[in-house]
Amino acid sequence: MTDIDKSAAGEQRTPPAGPEAIKAIPVRHYGRYVTAVIAIALLVAIIYAFSQGQINWHAVPDYFFDDRIMKGVGKTLLLTVLSMLIGIVGGIVLAVMRLSKNPVTSSIAWFYIWFFRGTPVLVQLFLWFNLGLVFEYINLMPFYKDYWSNFMTPLLTALLGLGLNEAAYMAEICRAGLLAVDEGQTEAAHALGMSHSKTLRRIIIPQAMRVIVPPTGNEVINMLKTTSLVAAVQYPELFRFAQDIGQNSGAPVEMYFLAAAWYLIMTSVLSVGQYYIERYYARGSSRQLPPTPWQKVKANVLSLGGPRGAVGA
Amino acid sequence: MTDKLSKSDAVRTGTAAMVKAEGVHKSFGHVEVLRGIDLEVKQGEVFCLIGPSGSGKSTFLRCINHLEKVNAGRLYVDGELVGYRQKGEKLYELKDSEVALKRRDIGMVFQRFNLFPHMTAAENVIEAPVQVKGVGRAKAKERAMQLLERVGLADKAGNYPSQLSGGQQQRVAIARALAMDPKLMLFDEPTSALDPELVGDVLDVMRDLAESGMTMVVVTHEMGFAREVGDSLVFMDEGVVVESGHPRDVLTDPQHERTQSFLSKVL
């Protein structure tokens, strides 16, 4: 199976036996040292300025693992995951509808995307929150009947508001992904007797994922931050809890920094996850898998002194 | 050689038409690509379609498994109308699922291979039997290995298409089509995208397949293959059949002026 891999790896490990390898002095990149020094100096200056400001930095570590903050982090993550799930599933469905030959389904998808992409998500959240003004009861005949206000909990409001809005964006991302797959793939699958849905599920979507995943990672990170808006519909999450603590403890600004730090931590963890998902969907697309982040860091650090191409191979 | 002889006997005795075209027309917008094609492919026959690019030969091939819709005329595969059901005088379009059902029996090999790049060679071959016919995974895998063995690629079963040469990819594509046990195989310029060195391997597999008695419709520029393996040959130009007959006759002694000028350029 690994004939090609072996020969490629072999070439790299053993230097050519015949002629003597070239030993040249690499080009010196002095510009890199200069810019690095300037960047570090600026960073130090900014950190110093902040440390001298009238900010009670001790409040940040004091509350960093506060129960309410931890609860808020959990709820922010829960909200992100669930609304992205709604967004991704909805997005794929909408994209397929949009590309459908059926003019009714493609028009519905077009209208949905037009509406949900064209209005601010905060407005949509309020809309869901106040939908009780239009529908007094919810009545799913045999299964469930209740007042709308009991049914529409803050969590559900937040999920619908964020998820359905996200679906409109994901639809466009998925559509781009589906269109990026070569038409020959559809033909080959159809020629084998596969149905439209099987072709989509087994052949087209797995290949479209390579195009869909990178912008989706972006959307997840965006979503994580957008969840801070749902305080408006009475669903408490990280930002809301941080605000509350700030008002009670007399360190409001400090709590904003604390929240920012938590958001940064979460988005960093998500970025790592995105990287490995991309690697999974890249299988079969290139002979060698791309380097892991650690390999990249190593290559970049070493390349400060030498030419880029020589390291990391 | 005896195999070949016995097979030719079968062709001569077998009269059932696998593919039958009656005045087939096909247009893309205002461009008329097929302008009345009449031909018949007998069971067990290797039927070669040659002609300049744009003559409509690939389009005709794609009509056979309904990847393209015929605008006028009738096209039959194994006695059944392609893409439609006839009730009295009226034609009814077939549902997608009915078209898919008919395509199971028709294997197709493309110029650009069109292997599924996210699956290994073996997975490519297993995919359709498992997903379409509901064959068990283990059984499909066993069959896939036999087919890969047959096309000489048993050792590449775990490779992704990007790790295979063009010729190897095309042979996997042939194995993939054969996995559905088709009664008819369509080849759309199967060697046109290959390095000259790799063409031979693919033609060998096709020759082997022809000798096993498979009915094959082959769009090709490989005149040597057509002469050696083909039972019938049709020269097409500008959407019509210009000349047809036994490959040896047409290729060595073309009657029509257009055929003569084409062959003088490619032979």
Side-chain angles (χ1 to χ4, degrees):
Chain A
M1 173 213 147
T2 49
D3 276 358
I4 290 164
D5 298 353
K6 267 187 215 151
S7 62
E11 266 167 39
Q12 282 165 10
R13 263 183 230 124
T14 51
E20 196 187 336
I22 292 174
K23 275 184 201 150
I25 294 154
V27 176
R28 300 290 179 203
H29 298 278
Y30 298 109
R32 293 181 189 176
Y33 294 103
V34 175
T35 43
V37 167
I38 294 174
I40 290 168
L42 275 173
L43 190 66
V44 169
I46 290 169
I47 291 172
Y48 179 76
F50 269 78
S51 67
Q52 296 303 302
Q54 294 187 332
I55 295 167
N56 175 20
W57 288 109
H58 291 293
V60 176
D62 285 351
Y63 286 100
F64 205 76
F65 296 107
D66 186 277
D67 283 348
R68 281 165 294 178
I69 293 291
M70 295 317 288
K71 200 172 149 200
V73 166
K75 290 203 165 181
T76 291
L77 282 174
L78 176 81
L79 212 52
T80 306
V81 169
L82 291 181
S83 8
M84 272 320 286
L85 252 145
I86 297 174
I88 290 170
V89 172
I92 291 176
V93 170
L94 281 167
V96 170
M97 283 171 72
R98 191 74 211 278
L99 294 172
S100 156
K101 280 184 288 181
N102 182 338
V104 180
T105 47
S106 73
S107 306
I108 293 172
W110 182 90
F111 182 82
Y112 181 100
I113 294 166
W114 172 77
F115 180 79
F116 281 93
R117 225 170 40 152
T119 51
V121 66
L122 189 59
V123 174
Q124 287 171 32
L125 281 166
F126 280 129
L127 197 89
W128 287 108
F129 191 58
N130 293 308
L131 216 55
L133 298 175
V134 184
F135 306 104
E136 207 175 335
Y137 302 101
I138 178 160
N139 190 353
L140 301 170
M141 283 302 267
F143 307 109
Y144 184 83
K145 191 175 172 182
D146 204 347
Y147 285 105
W148 186 268
S149 49
N150 290 344
F151 164 72
M152 203 48 120
T153 59
L155 176 64
L156 191 61
T157 312
L159 282 181
L160 285 176
L162 295 176
L164 296 186
N165 178 69
E166 186 57 32
Y169 283 92
M170 283 306 301
E172 290 298 277
I173 291 172
C174 294
R175 192 166 68 101
L178 295 175
L179 288 175
V181 178
D182 182 32
E183 256 183 288
Q185 295 292 310
T186 312
E187 285 190 350
H190 282 174
L192 286 165
M194 293 175 85
S195 63
H196 280 305
S197 57
K198 276 248 162 77
T199 304
L200 261 179
R201 250 187 318 122
R202 301 281 314 170
I203 309 299
I204 307 301
I205 290 177
Q207 292 183 59
M209 288 309 268
R210 259 169 32 109
V211 180
I212 294 174
V213 168
T216 303
N218 212 25
E219 290 296 307
V220 174
I221 285 166
N222 231 336
M223 176 62 80
L224 187 96
K225 295 180 293 174
T226 311
T227 53
S228 58
L229 288 181
V230 304
V233 291
Q234 309 306 322
Y235 187 78
E237 37 61 70
L238 173 60
F239 191 71
R240 181 61 178 268
F241 279 125
Q243 245 177 343
D244 286 352
I245 295 172
Q247 268 152 17
N248 295 336
S249 66
V253 182
E254 288 77 358
M255 288 307 111
Y256 288 136
F257 283 117
L258 185 152
W262 267 112
Y263 280 115
L264 258 177
I265 290 170
M266 287 189 279
T267 52
S268 307
V269 171
L270 289 176
S271 305
V272 174
Q274 175 189 359
Y275 178 82
Y276 283 96
I277 295 173
E278 275 177 38
R279 246 171 102 87
Y280 171 77
Y281 282 109
R283 75 197 191 284
S285 66
S286 51
R287 278 155 221 253
Q288 249 176 332
L289 282 170
T292 60
W294 176 236
Q295 287 168 337
K296 255 193 231 167
V297 167
K298 248 181 7 186
N300 276 329
V301 168
L302 292 171
S303 74
L304 276 176
R308 272 188 97 90
V311 199
Chain B
M1 206 57 212
T2 47
D3 272 3
K4 178 82 180 144
L5 281 177
S6 62
K7 186 231 153 183
S8 299
D9 288 342
V11 171
R12 248 176 271 127
T13 52
T15 48
M18 182 57 85
V19 180
K20 193 173 176 192
E22 293 171 351
V24 168
H25 283 257
K26 170 73 193 172
S27 319
F28 294 108
H30 296 295
V31 188
E32 225 183 355
V33 183
L34 299 178
R35 302 183 300 152
I37 302 284
D38 295 282
L39 55 78
E40 205 176 300
V41 180
K42 295 195 189 68
Q43 200 143 20
E45 190 175 46
V46 176
F47 191 97
C48 298
L49 280 165
I50 63 167
S53 53
S55 59
K57 45 193 197 315
S58 287
T59 305
F60 178 72
L61 197 75
R62 293 159 58 82
C63 287
I64 296 177
N65 66 353
H66 208 49
L67 283 179
E68 302 290 353
K69 251 185 201 161
V70 169
N71 294 125
R74 296 282 189 273
L75 187 56
Y76 301 90
V77 171
D78 209 12
E80 286 180 55
L81 201 55
V82 174
Y84 304 93
R85 191 186 308 109
Q86 189 156 18
K87 266 190 193 162
E89 287 294 288
K90 278 186 185 156
L91 284 185
Y92 296 86
E93 266 188 27
L94 291 185
K95 280 186 281 187
D96 288 341
S97 57
E98 293 170 304
V99 173
L101 199 66
K102 293 198 171 181
R103 283 184 182 140
R104 288 183 187 192
D105 298 331
I106 306 174
M108 187 159 190
V109 175
F110 299 86
Q111 183 178 358
R112 304 277 339 157
F113 328 132
N114 295 349
L115 287 180
F116 306 132
H118 58 304
M119 298 180 183
T120 62
E123 285 166 352
N124 263 280
V125 181
I126 293 166
E127 182 66 11
V130 171
Q131 295 297 327
V132 179
K133 279 189 170 173
V135 177
R137 254 203 120 68
K139 213 175 153 198
K141 172 107 200 186
E142 197 181 320
R143 181 81 212 288
M145 290 312 293
Q146 283 169 9
L147 286 166
L148 286 173
E149 180 89 56
R150 186 173 170 187
V151 299
L153 290 172
D155 56 326
K156 302 283 184 196
N159 284 35
Y160 285 100
S162 62
Q163 299 166 327
L164 300 173
S165 74
Q168 290 169 336
Q169 287 188 54
Q170 193 61 299
R171 278 141 69 199
V172 173
I174 294 174
R176 178 177 70 175
L178 289 176
M180 290 297 282
D181 295 312
K183 56 187 178 191
L184 170 66
M185 284 283 285
L186 308 176
F187 291 86
D188 187 4
E189 302 196 25
T191 56
S192 297
L194 298 179
D195 287 346
E197 253 191 314
L198 306 172
V199 169
D201 291 340
V202 172
L203 291 182
D204 284 344
V205 169
M206 289 170 64
R207 191 173 291 123
D208 170 65
L209 193 59
E211 276 165 23
S212 74
M214 175 66 75
T215 313
M216 296 160 63
V217 181
V218 186
V219 172
T220 188
H221 292 298
E222 295 292 327
M223 300 304 159
F225 175 82
R227 184 175 5 218
E228 207 185 312
V229 184
D231 298 301
S232 292
L233 182 138
V234 153
F235 173 72
M236 277 177 71
D237 190 27
E238 297 185 345
V240 292
V241 172
V242 176
E243 195 167 345
S244 61
H246 194 278
R248 253 190 311 272
D249 304 333
V250 180
L251 292 175
T252 49
D253 184 23
Q255 301 300 311
H256 201 281
E257 195 187 334
R258 184 69 188 90
T259 321
Q260 286 163 7
S261 81
F262 175 74
L263 288 175
S264 71
K265 279 176 203 142
V266 296
L267 282 181

